[in-house]
Amino acid sequence: MTLEFEQLDRNLVVKLKGELDHHSAEIVREKIDRSIDRGGIKNLIFDCSKMDFMDSSGLGVMMGRFKKLKSMGGQVVISGINPNIDRVFKLSGIYKIISKYENLEKAIEKLGEGK
Amino acid sequence: MITNKMRLEIDAKSENESFARTVVAAFVARLDPTLEELNDVKTAVSEAVTNAIIHGYNEMKGTVYISCLIDKNTVLIQIEDHGIGIEDIGKAMEPLYTSKPDLERSGMGFTVMEAFMDSINVTSNIGKGTLITMKKTFDSIHNRVD
Ligand SMILES: Nc1ncnc2c1ncn2[C@@H]1O[C@H](COP(=O)(O)OP(=O)(O)OP(=O)(O)O)[C@@H](O)[C@H]1O
Ligand SMILES: [Mg+2]
């Protein structure tokens, strides 16, 4: 799995490319937390348009970042999910706390400047 | 009757998770499953192998045993560890139950296996290990003449 970070105002976009499992989750978690801890970030957008596999380990990563940002007054959203991964998300009920958008543009539009 | 089997033994290391699910998917691919069905199998195998590594062996040394048996258009997959075992299988299989919330586990592994496979059976002995048996029939199979 490779990660690409982009900060747009106070929104951090994390583009996940490849397969998110227990093995890749550790490094993904670490890198994202390091970015958040540097400060200046309120919301997190997971761009999943290039992620082709995810199991429950990915759910743990996303819920963990949700808890972290929620305690700082921010939110986590996801975009570009393929149907297979969508089924894992749906089973978990994660959409009750993390909103899903068709694509990155829509997610950014919705979050605004993250003020 | 067309049967085919394979057996795989891997070290309980997280870097082997993608290898394990890819090997099983490649073995099952000859049944001509849809991409969705193939992904179901990959995800379920990933869950079971990850559980063996994280829970069965507590991320320490061990071996995970994987076997697949194809019988016509049905695949039977077994994933076994010789780790700590599960005390209360009913509780372990409840959605959102995890014994390791500190590791950011979501407690959804068994729920995913149940949803993505046709059936799952769990047997376990404390201190001896755990055996997961999953089955899936591919409806998509064409009547091929091999
Ligand atoms: N092979 C195993 N050996 C011992 N205990 C296990 C094994 N597999 C599962 N368990 C127990 O069952 C529980 C539930 O497993 P499940 O896969 O549903 O959730 P999880 O692994 O805790 O979280 P997630 O899969 O969402 O990351 C685990 O927390 C663990 O206590
Ligand atoms: Mg699990």
Side-chain angles (χ1 to χ4, degrees):
Chain A
M1 157 139 286
T2 56
L3 293 179
E4 267 174 29
F5 290 88
E6 190 184 359
Q7 191 170 345
L8 302 167
D9 298 304
R10 292 185 67 201
N11 300 321
L12 177 66
V13 179
V14 180
K15 187 172 198 161
L16 303 162
K17 292 181 172 175
E19 310 205 327
L20 180 53
D21 62 5
H22 163 237
H23 182 66
S24 52
E26 321 235 317
I27 186 86
V28 168
R29 184 179 289 135
E30 203 176 289
K31 281 189 174 167
I32 293 175
D33 283 356
R34 225 184 290 141
S35 288
I36 296 173
D37 294 342
R38 246 182 254 134
I41 286 158
K42 187 174 179 213
N43 305 313
L44 180 63
I45 304 170
F46 283 109
D47 175 2
C48 303
S49 58
K50 291 282 181 284
M51 179 162 80
D52 28 53
F53 177 87
M54 190 196 84
D55 62 20
S56 65
S57 299
L59 292 172
V61 171
M62 297 196 183
M63 286 203 242
R65 289 333 102 218
F66 167 80
K67 281 184 195 150
K68 188 177 170 88
L69 285 177
K70 193 186 167 213
S71 70
M72 296 159 64
Q75 55 177 314
V76 175
V77 304
I78 43 189
S79 69
I81 297 131
N82 81 37
N84 287 327
I85 296 169
D86 190 48
R87 287 170 63 217
V88 177
F89 279 125
K90 275 192 183 137
L91 271 178
S92 72
I94 205 173
Y95 291 139
K96 278 181 246 156
I97 53 171
I98 296 179
S99 302
K100 152 176 90 161
Y101 296 96
E102 210 176 300
N103 53 47
L104 182 57
E105 292 67 34
K106 289 203 172 130
I108 292 169
E109 194 187 304
K110 200 74 191 172
L111 285 178
E113 291 176 355
K115 293 266 161 60
Chain B
M1 182 170 293
I2 310 144
T3 64
N4 195 8
K5 66 176 187 297
M6 74 97 170
R7 210 177 147 75
L8 178 69
E9 269 187 42
I10 51 169
D11 275 352
K13 291 182 177 159
S14 69
E15 68 234 55
N16 285 334
E17 289 157 3
S18 63
F19 175 73
R21 63 177 179 262
T22 305
V23 168
V24 174
F27 185 70
V28 167
R30 62 194 62 190
L31 287 179
D32 259 354
T34 62
L35 282 179
E36 185 185 326
E37 287 169 330
L38 207 54
N39 186 75
D40 290 350
V41 171
K42 253 177 115 171
T43 311
V45 168
S46 194
E47 296 296 352
V49 171
T50 301
N51 278 352
I53 294 170
I54 298 181
H55 304 295
Y57 294 119
N58 271 314
E59 306 203 60
M60 289 182 295
K61 213 167 143 32
T63 305
V64 184
Y65 305 85
I66 299 157
S67 72
C68 292
L69 174 68
I70 289 173
D71 186 355
K72 288 190 218 126
N73 57 337
T74 297
V75 64
L76 183 108
I77 301 169
Q78 292 195 304
I79 294 164
E80 186 178 353
D81 67 68
H82 298 165
I84 61 165
I86 304 175
E87 205 173 289
D88 185 341
I89 294 172
K91 189 166 146 199
M93 293 182 78
E94 277 172 21
L96 303 176
Y97 171 79
T98 180
S99 55
K100 289 191 156 53
D102 46 310
L103 291 185
E104 284 190 356
R105 309 313 308 174
S106 65
M108 288 302 296
F110 275 127
T111 308
V112 167
M113 289 182 249
E114 276 184 308
F116 286 21
M117 300 296 281
D118 295 343
S119 70
I120 171 172
N121 183 63
V122 182
T123 55
S124 193
N125 285 305
I126 295 296
K128 292 232 167 68
T130 300
L131 172 67
I132 310 291
T133 304
M134 302 184 281
K135 243 186 191 179
K136 194 174 180 73
T137 300
F138 301 104
D139 311 316
S140 60
I141 192 146
H142 318 301
N143 283 321
R144 290 181 309 182
V145 188
D146 273 343

